[in-house]
Amino acid sequence: METSPSFAGPFALGTFSAGSGPVFPGLVAGDRVLDLSEHASSTRALLERWDDALPLLHEAATGPGEWRPLAELRVHAPVEPRQILQSGANYRTHVIDLAVAHEPADGRPAEQVRAEVAAMMDRRAAEDQPYVFIGLPSSVTGPYDDVVIPSWCTKPDWELELAAVIGRPAFRINPDKALEHVAAYTIANDVTAREVVFRRDMPEIGTDWLRAKNAPTFTPLGPYLVPAVFVGDPGELQVTLKLNGEVMQDESTKDMIFGVARLVSYVSQTVELLPGDLVLTGSPAGNGLHHGRLLRDGDVMEGTITSLGTQRNRCRDER
């Protein structure tokens, strides 16, 4: 029952349902949707034969078919990934702001922290060592669904991100070939429980991404899969998040330390990436911790990335 601003190109892919009916893969063109369930069981099935499917989708986008009004359909997360690989600390300004925010009141001066963290990121970039961790598909929710804040979560935060969607399987590929394995892009909001990111009981172990990132509904995804051929350079996109209409994040993907190609290549050295898998590329500056304003019951997050449309999620307190 939701619509979103336009995306790049003549069409995109999504997952839909009508009322309480079954979900189906659909081709979105303007304000209408073509049911593709006769051709594939899901968008992931289309991604599994992407090289053959893309030309057929071009034909279908201009054909007759039985098109349905987008406004009459529920929009679900556009794909069910097998694997979610998430990049952390990948935007320079964001990492610097977080380091300053986490510095104790009696700690180092802010300018010293900024300089030290900037030097650390320069070393990471030179050594080609992104920071990547694993997300759970069970955290994924739709682009217009509620984000449910668990009763135990005291510092829920937003992190809007560009997500690369794998088409061709990728294993131990070089960066110069990596984008050939990206079929599409979409929007992800990597909602985070800030208070449990770092284990205070075992500081030597470090971060607890399981609890911090993977509660149900903590990864709003979509609205659509926009083919990479329509998006252009993924390093030239604007990532914007509004909270209740106020801009909180507004940064170009130029600020990424590691671009999409380097991230996909890096992950593929360890993990075999499969069609439908997601590689999240990190979040820019402007999270709630930076603003001193974390998520509350009733808040509305609106996330937009150039060429990919907009997702809109209301927060609902489980308590």
Side-chain angles (χ1 to χ4, degrees):
M1 299 295 292
E2 296 275 359
T3 59
S4 66
S6 61
F7 45 81
F11 63 83
L13 284 174
T15 301
F16 307 90
S17 66
S20 58
V23 298
F24 62 88
L27 185 71
V28 191
D31 59 357
R32 58 184 193 158
V33 175
L34 179 65
D35 187 341
L36 298 174
S37 56
E38 290 187 3
H39 307 285
S41 59
S42 65
T43 55
R44 196 171 79 190
L46 288 167
L47 291 166
E48 288 172 347
R49 51 188 179 93
W50 187 245
D51 290 341
D52 295 327
L54 187 57
L56 298 177
L57 295 175
H58 274 280
E59 293 179 15
T62 56
E66 295 185 10
W67 292 86
R68 306 167 73 166
L70 173 60
E72 296 180 2
L73 300 173
R74 179 180 174 186
V75 184
H76 298 267
V79 67
E80 292 186 1
R82 297 179 182 89
Q83 305 177 107
I84 302 176
L85 289 307
Q86 299 179 242
S87 175
N90 197 39
Y91 278 77
R92 293 183 64 87
T93 306
H94 176 57
V95 177
I96 290 172
D97 286 348
L98 279 178
V100 171
H102 281 292
E103 186 71 16
D106 58 349
R108 299 164 297 171
E111 288 310 309
Q112 180 183 345
V113 174
R114 291 180 181 276
E116 291 177 0
V117 173
M120 175 269 292
M121 288 187 289
D122 288 340
R123 288 194 301 273
R124 285 180 57 218
E127 294 167 0
D128 200 22
Q129 291 292 315
Y131 180 53
V132 180
F133 52 94
I134 302 168
L136 296 178
S138 59
S139 69
V140 170
T141 195
Y144 309 117
D145 294 342
D146 288 351
V147 168
V148 180
I149 301 171
S151 58
W152 52 261
C153 180
T154 60
K155 293 184 178 180
D157 204 347
W158 60 83
E159 292 195 24
L160 199 68
E161 308 197 12
L162 172 67
V165 186
I166 299 300
R168 298 175 184 169
F171 189 52
R172 296 178 183 167
I173 56 172
N174 293 326
D176 60 347
K177 298 291 185 181
L179 293 186
E180 297 174 10
H181 297 260
V182 176
Y185 294 96
T186 192
I187 303 172
N189 189 348
D190 179 26
V191 177
T192 304
R194 291 286 177 204
E195 78 278 16
V196 294
V197 169
F198 298 106
R199 291 292 298 253
R200 291 182 174 85
D201 59 332
M202 296 183 292
E204 66 278 3
I205 295 219
T207 48
D208 186 349
W209 294 130
L210 172 68
R211 201 166 187 220
K213 301 278 191 180
N214 288 293
T217 75
F218 263 33
T219 312
L221 190 68
Y224 311 121
L225 307 180
V226 180
V229 293
F230 303 151
V231 174
D233 184 356
E236 296 278 352
L237 307 178
Q238 197 72 14
V239 179
T240 306
L241 183 134
K242 296 180 181 178
L243 181 69
N244 303 327
E246 181 181 356
V247 174
M248 308 302 275
Q249 290 183 292
D250 192 23
E251 183 63 81
S252 170
T253 52
K254 287 180 180 178
D255 197 45
M256 288 195 293
I257 301 169
F258 301 98
V260 174
R262 290 176 72 183
L263 288 173
V264 170
S265 171
Y266 176 81
V267 170
S268 80
Q269 304 309 310
T270 302
V271 176
E272 182 178 9
L273 291 166
L274 303 171
D277 286 351
L278 303 177
V279 177
L280 274 57
T281 58
S283 188
N287 62 289
L289 196 65
H290 169 74
H291 290 288
R293 167 60 163 92
L294 296 163
L295 293 170
R296 304 169 186 160
D297 184 57
D299 281 345
V300 176
M301 299 179 289
E302 186 176 274
T304 303
I305 297 181
T306 310
S307 304
L308 304 182
T310 296
Q311 59 174 226
R312 190 176 301 104
N313 303 91
R314 182 177 297 275
C315 297
R316 178 164 55 86
D317 198 328
E318 187 179 59
R319 292 163 291 191

